[in-house]
Amino acid sequence: MQTSRRDIFLLACCQALLLVNSAGLVSINGLIGYSIAPSRTLATFGATTYVLGSALAALPMSLWMARVGRRAGFMTGALVNIAGCLVAVLALQAASFVLFCFATAVIGVYNAVGLQYRFAAAEVAAPADRATAISLVLAGGVVGGFAGPETAKLTQHMFTTPFLGSFVALAAVAMVALALQSQVRVPTPVRTASAGGGRPLAAIMRQPAFIVAVAAAALMATAAGIALNGITVAHFVVALALVGAGWNFLYTGGTTLLTETYTPEERARTQGVNDLVVFATMGVSSFASGALVTSSGWDSMNRAALPVLAAIAAMALWLMWMRVQSSRRAVPPPAR
């Protein structure tokens, strides 16, 4: 197949708009929680429900897209996000923290759907161009990373209720994404994928490439959890800069590696399980790092991450060694 540069560009634009939503929500979540939560210790709980919503939706949405196709799945995600933003508006008007947390969980579904953009990029690219296609689509998120917080900040006082305008703006951004998603053309999914064709999931997950790919993405999520618990501005800036650099190697490389582990009929299950593991790890690391930095301090939290880094490095070297050995066995001995 030929690489569709048109669809890769559209997917990169969709990724940018997804990050406008995600970064915008993260930038105001704590402030909203601080103002309406019954206890200030729960101020960031809306971020937790956002991650939980994404985790719970990752596998079901991946399987559902295998039935209806990428375009319909992406558009459904945008519509769910618009509904979540409207629920958030109602929550702010009623000053209901419970309803606000429910709204962020609904918005998290859109994030789970949007994470499939990178896999769609691989599906519209020739095998030799897959890594580049995934990188280009994920690079679109850089724009959203800057535009999201600014959008939320500039619209926070649009109405009398603080931050109500921010959610109206994020819903408008999702409408723009909806228009772009309607133009994306991804190959029709293999019908047997929805029927559970292919190898058992356990067999897929035992592959060395799958283990390293998921572990790489999970490490990125762990690093993000640590970064979000910095105790000074300097820690926060440096940690996020390192996470951003590591993203290119771990998340992009892990995604590319994952595409080598499944057949077309195994695609939906494998991708869904991968994202489920990533979000579950993100949630656990966020809780654990917050508790650790409170009880033991920043230095202890960072030391706790060192064994994880060592394990990922060891697994990467293990996979490299196995592939070298496999390539050597594939080369026929010289004729005598």
Side-chain angles (χ1 to χ4, degrees):
M1 65 172 295
Q2 291 186 337
T3 300
S4 175
R5 299 184 184 278
R6 169 190 176 276
D7 289 305
I8 291 173
F9 173 75
L10 288 174
L11 290 167
C13 292
C14 290
Q15 178 74 13
L17 295 173
L18 175 72
L19 264 291
V20 169
N21 185 279
S22 178
L25 177 61
V26 169
S27 68
I28 62 177
N29 170 76
L31 297 173
I32 294 173
Y34 190 83
S35 63
I36 67 174
S39 171
R40 290 179 178 178
T41 59
L42 297 174
T44 60
F45 192 68
T48 300
T49 53
Y50 175 68
V51 173
L52 288 175
S54 298
L56 293 174
L59 183 56
M61 292 304 296
S62 180
L63 293 173
W64 187 65
M65 274 193 276
R67 295 176 60 88
V68 302
R70 292 294 191 192
R71 180 164 56 187
F74 292 151
M75 294 177 69
T76 300
L79 291 172
V80 169
N81 178 73
I82 293 170
C85 288
L86 294 178
V87 174
V89 167
L90 296 175
L92 292 177
Q93 288 179 326
S96 172
F97 183 66
V98 172
L99 188 59
F100 174 72
C101 290
F102 174 73
T104 63
V106 173
I107 295 172
V109 175
Y110 175 50
N111 191 53
V113 172
L115 286 180
Q116 296 285 317
Y117 290 145
R118 70 195 198 278
F119 293 124
E123 292 160 19
V124 298
D129 296 331
R130 283 177 183 168
T132 301
I134 293 169
S135 298
L136 289 173
V137 169
L138 291 177
V142 175
V143 177
F146 284 100
E150 289 300 313
T151 299
K153 182 178 70 174
L154 293 174
T155 56
Q156 62 178 314
H157 297 302
M158 184 183 297
F159 301 100
T160 305
T161 304
F163 299 109
L164 191 150
S166 300
F167 283 100
V168 172
L170 294 180
V173 170
M175 290 181 183
V176 177
L178 189 66
L180 292 177
Q181 291 163 349
S182 68
Q183 302 302 311
V184 173
R185 295 194 296 264
V186 180
T188 303
V190 178
R191 292 191 178 277
T192 55
S194 61
R199 295 166 293 172
L201 187 57
I204 299 172
M205 295 176 66
R206 284 196 297 267
Q207 296 176 98
F210 180 91
I211 295 170
V212 176
V214 175
L219 173 62
M220 182 278 299
T222 302
I226 292 174
L228 291 174
N229 283 279
I231 58 175
T232 69
V233 173
H235 284 139
F236 190 77
V237 172
V238 172
L240 286 183
L242 293 174
V243 169
W247 177 282
N248 291 289
F249 296 99
L250 295 174
Y251 198 62
T252 306
T255 299
T256 304
L257 190 60
L258 189 73
T259 62
E260 302 174 6
T261 67
Y262 52 80
T263 61
E265 62 268 22
E266 299 165 350
R267 181 186 69 192
R269 288 178 296 147
T270 309
Q271 294 172 355
V273 168
N274 173 78
D275 285 347
L276 174 61
V277 172
V278 170
F279 278 117
T281 304
M282 183 183 298
V284 171
S285 63
S286 179
F287 274 118
S289 59
L292 189 58
V293 75
T294 301
S295 61
S296 303
W298 173 259
D299 291 340
S300 296
M301 183 179 66
N302 280 275
R303 283 195 292 269
L306 293 178
V308 179
L309 292 167
I312 296 300
M315 282 191 284
L317 291 173
W318 168 60
L319 178 62
M320 185 185 303
W321 179 82
M322 290 190 65
R323 291 196 166 189
V324 169
Q325 295 301 312
S326 178
S327 63
R328 286 177 178 174
R329 287 194 296 267
V331 176
R336 295 186 179 183

